[in-house]
Amino acid sequence: MLQLLCFKRLQKILGKIPNINAGGCGVSAYAMYLYLKKHGRLNDFQVILLDEYFTKDEHKQNLAFVEGKSSKSNGAAHIAVTFDGGKTIQDAKGVVDDTFEYTLLVPSHKTEAYFNALFTTKVRWNSAFNMHESIPVIEKKLGIKLGINLDII
């Protein structure tokens, strides 16, 4: 129950960030992970990568990363979280529909490595989300350090 209350608090905070689900979904998912980890509330939390036919190459790259066949991760059409193995998918704004063609759960023990690889390489981002303005706000509000290299984004 405490984990759910923590998560709802995160949604309330992150959901107010402009365009959080239009280029900032990965930042949001990683911020949730770091916050819940800091407060000992990870339990069944997992990041889930959601892709469509037009992002199937990203899906293949992320699958190779998860399987240990590559050290490079990539973005996805949408990055969200789950507490029940993917039955219910949520992001900063609430429940996400399950109409994506490809889903990939990032194993808990690979979550930090996934985001570290993602945020230290040049990948495509939706420019609607202003990372340079939003990341410092997220870090301050949640009391975490995302460690994202804004110089390459």
Side-chain angles (χ1 to χ4, degrees), residues 1-12 32-47 81-85 90 108:
M1 188 61 161
L2 285 174
Q3 182 185 35
L4 183 59
L5 291 173
C6 264
F7 182 69
K8 293 296 179 194
R9 179 177 179 269
L10 288 172
Q11 282 182 312
K12 188 174 180 179
M32 290 177 186
Y33 168 82
L34 291 174
Y35 182 87
L36 292 172
K37 180 181 176 187
K38 177 180 176 180
H39 294 282
R41 303 273 184 247
L42 278 176
N43 302 336
D44 297 324
F45 176 92
Q46 277 186 285
V47 170
V81 302
T82 183
F83 293 94
D84 59 10
Q90 299 191 59
S108 299

Side-chain angles (χ1 to χ4, degrees), residues 17-34:
I17 303 291
N19 299 309
I20 194 73
N21 283 342
C25 57
V27 171
S28 175
Y30 191 41
M32 290 177 186
Y33 168 82
L34 291 174

